[in-house]
């Protein structure tokens, strides 16, 4: 058609548009005779100067302004896109689809409730719009949970629309269902839906399949905040898994900083989480808390947040806040981890509640994890001057391993308990507990220590 002498010039635009959607941006640019196509090609090929040149040639026409808004959206300038769409909507109130574009922008700005409001008018006229219903479902997922989001999709199905016909909805249903069906759905979508790579990697991370997540993320050239965040998380996990691999940790810190310091993300919840993660890796916990405290009210029931917030508070010496944060963690997976038990016990001891740390140990079944916790309780209590609790812990350690080191520590804890009672900082009941511990000991020095304690108690007319 283009070879005909009387060919309509618009055919060149059609051809350029086809080449653009085929991903052949250089050929589309060569065929284009229209500024808008050149504008989008410049964005796709990262030609900043060409992009700005095309930008200056845009008019105030509806088509040019829609093109401008879409480029703002694609470049992550969501507020600028909102401004354009709102102005166009004021001029063209009957263009209801502009509300969907607005809803997309608001969702990207984490204004999920505002996004739902923007969609309402369009959905009243087009209740079976898969795109609009899917966006509303995504908003409900962020605002509430996966069940609320999936209910919105089921309502669409009841109206005669098959959700399985949309790759995007099939992908999102996996997310709404917390990864159920991820391995059946997501691998086939890696080249179709950019988010599929992110969510499949997240699924692998949650399943503890770190190497599989790394293989998905290692060649990813991040362009969006979500992609930078994913790479940061994977590198951080790899860095810790490979004995504090400094290169992985450095790359993770750079990825988190790129998101947290960007003008578009710095005031969002994910942006502040990324900046906190950056400082976390740098072990600058005072700075970590500046960012986490600014978003605490929005994530008060999030186990991941409370866990990280608790560690940051504890590392910064804010033990009361740390105890509250660890107490807010509800997930069984977290509460059964050795790291969680150790941090919780340490926090109890720092708060002057050594018996809570001891009871935490007693609740555990015998294992390597519980042995590590017992060592921590023994040593931390001893260092903090809670000698009666330390004596109990060292007594159990000595029973498990009759090492001279444990006896010496237990002996020191018993003597320390006597000193604390003599100073009025411990109840005489602590001496009765110590006597019980020493009576069950076969060490030859145990009898001598008991005589010293009994002699002091007799002189003070204390019955033990």
């Amino acid at each position: 058609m283009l070879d005909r002498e009387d060919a309509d010039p618009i055919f060149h635009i059609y051809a350029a548009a086809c080449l653009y959607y085929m991903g052949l941006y250089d050929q589309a640019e060569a065929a284009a005779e229209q500024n808008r196509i050149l504008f989008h090609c410049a964005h796709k090929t990262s030609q900043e100067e060409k992009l700005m040149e095309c930008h200056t040639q845009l008019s105030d026409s509806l088509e040019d302004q829609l093109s401008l808004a879409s480029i703002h959206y694609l470049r992550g300038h969501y507020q600028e896109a909102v401004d354009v769409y709102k102005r166009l909507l004021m001029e063209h109130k009957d263009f209801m689809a502009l509300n969907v574009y607005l809803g997309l922008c608001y969702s990207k700005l984490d204004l999920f409730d505002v996004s739902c409001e923007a969609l309402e008018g369009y959905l009243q006229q087009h209740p079976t719009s898969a795109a609009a219903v899917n966006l509303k479902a995504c908003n409900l997922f962020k605002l509430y949970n996966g069940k609320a989001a999936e209910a919105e999709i089921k309502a669409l199905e009841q109206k005669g629309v098959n959700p399985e016909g949309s790759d995007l909805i099939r992908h999102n249903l996996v997310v709404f269902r917390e990864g159920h069906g991820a391995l059946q759905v997501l691998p086939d979508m890696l080249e179709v839906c950019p988010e599929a790579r992110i969510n499949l990697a997240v699924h692998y991370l949650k399943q503890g399949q770190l190497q599989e997540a790394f293989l998905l993320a290692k060649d990813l050239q991040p362009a969006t905040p979500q992609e930078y965040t994913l790479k940061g998380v994977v590198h951080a996990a790899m860095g810790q898994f490979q004995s504090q691999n400094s290169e992985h940790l450095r790359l993770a810190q750079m990825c988190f900083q790129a998101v947290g310091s960007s003008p578009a993300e710095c005031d969002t919840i994910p942006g502040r989480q990324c900046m906190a993660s950056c400082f976390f890796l740098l072990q600058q916990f005072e700075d970590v808390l500046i960012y986490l405290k600014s978003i605490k009210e929005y994530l008060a029931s999030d186990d991941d947040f409370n866990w990280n917030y608790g560690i940051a508070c504890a590392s910064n010496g804010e033990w009361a806040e740390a105890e509250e944060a660890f107490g807010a963690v509800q997930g069984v997976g977290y509460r059964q981890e050795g790291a969680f038990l150790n941090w919780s016990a340490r926090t109890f001891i720092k708060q002057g509640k050594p018996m809570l740390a001891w009871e935490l140990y007693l609740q555990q079944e015998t294992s390597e994890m519980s042995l590590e916790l017992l060592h921590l309780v023994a040593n931390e209590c001893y260092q903090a001057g809670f000698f009666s609790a330390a004596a109990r812990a060292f007594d159990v350690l000595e029973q498990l391993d009759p090492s001279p080191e444990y006896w010496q520590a237990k002996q020191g804890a018993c003597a320390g308990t006597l000193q604390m009672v003599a100073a009025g900082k411990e109840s005489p009941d602590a001496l009765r507990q110590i006597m019980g511990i020493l009576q069950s000991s076969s060490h030859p020095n145990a009898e001598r220590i008991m005589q010293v304690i009994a002699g002091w108690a007799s002189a003070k007319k204390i019955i033990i």
Side-chain angles (χ1 to χ4, degrees):
M1 295 175 67
L2 289 171
D3 291 337
R4 292 170 48 182
E5 292 184 3
D6 60 343
D8 192 323
I10 201 171
F11 291 162
H12 289 281
I13 297 175
Y14 294 161
C18 291
L19 292 167
Y20 176 86
Y21 283 109
M22 291 170 64
L24 304 173
Y25 304 120
D26 291 335
Q27 295 180 42
E29 185 177 351
E33 295 183 357
Q34 185 195 67
N35 185 56
R36 289 195 296 274
I37 294 179
L38 294 173
F39 190 34
H40 282 265
C41 287
H43 165 69
K44 288 292 187 180
T45 53
S46 300
Q47 299 180 67
E48 287 297 314
E49 290 187 9
K50 182 69 174 178
L51 183 81
M52 297 311 296
E53 179 185 338
C54 293
H55 187 181
T56 60
Q57 296 178 25
L58 292 174
S59 69
D60 290 333
S61 69
L62 174 64
E63 293 81 4
D64 279 8
Q65 289 302 299
L66 286 171
S67 185
L68 174 61
S70 68
I71 291 293
H72 278 317
Y73 180 89
L74 292 171
R75 289 167 68 85
H77 303 159
Y78 304 118
Q79 186 57 55
E80 289 84 346
V82 164
D83 294 340
V84 175
Y85 286 133
K86 287 176 73 174
R87 187 177 68 251
L88 292 176
L89 196 55
M90 289 180 65
E91 297 171 359
H92 306 276
K93 290 183 172 56
D94 55 331
F95 285 17
M96 297 301 295
L98 290 174
N99 289 289
V100 179
Y101 300 151
L102 265 176
L104 279 167
C105 294
Y106 284 133
S107 187
K108 290 291 187 179
L109 289 167
D110 290 348
L111 299 172
F112 306 113
D113 50 349
V114 180
S115 177
C116 286
E117 291 175 9
L119 291 170
E120 281 307 308
Y122 182 83
L123 283 171
Q124 287 176 5
Q125 294 190 15
H126 306 280
T128 59
S129 168
V133 170
N134 175 68
L135 177 56
K136 184 178 180 181
C138 291
N139 290 332
L140 295 178
F141 176 68
K142 293 290 187 177
L143 287 168
Y144 305 109
N145 51 47
K147 289 183 179 179
E150 192 172 354
E152 197 68 26
I153 300 299
K154 286 182 178 178
L156 181 66
E157 189 172 8
Q158 291 169 0
K159 295 170 184 174
V161 179
N162 179 16
E164 295 297 319
S166 168
D167 285 340
L168 184 58
I169 291 180
R170 289 175 60 230
H171 165 275
N172 288 344
L173 282 172
V174 171
V175 178
F176 300 158
R177 295 166 181 168
E178 297 184 342
H180 180 72
L183 298 181
Q184 290 74 38
V185 175
L186 300 184
D188 293 337
M189 294 189 179
L190 295 180
E191 303 303 324
V192 178
C193 179
E195 290 84 357
R197 181 177 299 273
I198 296 175
N199 287 310
L200 183 57
V202 169
H203 174 76
Y204 283 137
L205 287 171
K206 288 182 176 180
Q207 298 301 312
Q209 297 173 279
L210 181 54
Q211 192 60 38
E212 287 79 358
F214 176 68
L215 291 174
L216 273 175
K218 69 173 184 175
D219 295 325
L220 176 66
Q221 298 300 318
T224 67
Q226 292 78 15
E227 290 170 345
Y228 274 103
T229 302
L230 172 66
K231 289 211 75 163
V233 170
V234 171
H235 279 301
M238 289 293 291
Q240 295 173 75
F241 178 74
Q242 297 180 354
S243 301
Q244 298 296 311
N245 184 300
S246 59
E247 180 60 17
H248 276 301
L249 295 178
R250 184 187 68 82
L251 291 171
Q253 182 255 320
M254 290 175 60
C255 288
F256 291 138
Q257 187 174 24
V259 178
S261 61
S262 70
E265 295 294 321
C266 64
D267 289 327
T268 66
I269 291 174
R272 294 191 179 191
Q273 285 179 303
C274 281
M275 208 65 220
S277 298
C278 171
F279 285 121
F280 208 113
L281 293 175
L282 295 171
Q283 297 187 11
Q284 297 177 14
F285 295 106
E286 188 174 350
D287 293 319
V288 171
L289 290 175
I290 290 174
Y291 286 93
L292 293 186
K293 286 182 177 180
S294 72
I295 57 176
K296 180 185 174 186
E297 64 179 296
Y298 304 104
L299 299 167
S301 60
D302 186 288
D303 279 355
D304 295 331
F305 174 84
N306 285 316
W307 167 237
N308 289 315
Y309 183 61
I311 294 176
C313 287
S315 300
N316 202 45
E318 299 182 21
W319 298 105
E321 193 81 1
E323 182 182 356
E324 182 182 338
F326 292 140
V329 175
Q330 299 299 313
V332 175
Y334 264 125
R335 299 189 72 87
Q336 292 180 344
E337 281 187 3
F340 180 86
L341 296 172
N342 291 347
W343 275 108
S344 295
R346 183 179 289 111
T347 301
F348 288 143
I349 295 166
K350 294 292 186 180
Q351 282 285 95
K353 304 172 183 178
M355 295 314 297
L356 289 180
W358 175 247
E359 289 168 10
L360 187 63
Y361 161 72
L362 293 178
Q363 294 167 8
Q364 309 309 311
E365 296 180 0
T366 303
S367 64
E368 286 294 323
M369 187 173 67
S370 67
L371 182 61
E372 182 182 350
L373 177 60
L374 181 61
H375 274 97
L376 183 144
V377 172
N379 290 301
E380 292 278 348
C381 283
Y382 195 100
Q383 292 173 15
F386 301 121
F387 296 113
S388 61
R392 293 186 185 200
F394 280 120
D395 181 50
V396 176
L397 286 169
E398 188 191 20
Q399 292 176 36
L400 295 171
D401 177 13
S403 163
E405 177 185 342
Y406 293 138
W407 162 252
Q408 290 169 7
K410 183 170 78 170
Q411 179 179 247
C414 291
T417 302
L418 177 59
Q419 288 180 334
M420 297 300 284
V421 173
K425 296 180 179 179
E426 273 273 22
S427 165
D429 287 340
L431 290 181
R432 299 185 185 100
Q433 295 165 5
I434 292 300
M435 292 294 278
I437 290 172
L438 291 170
Q439 284 171 355
S440 63
S441 176
S442 60
H443 197 281
N445 286 345
E447 184 66 31
R448 183 175 60 83
I449 299 172
M450 289 172 64
Q451 290 174 358
V452 172
I453 294 174
W456 179 87
S458 177
K460 297 295 183 179
K461 298 182 179 180
I462 296 174
I463 300 174
I464 59 172

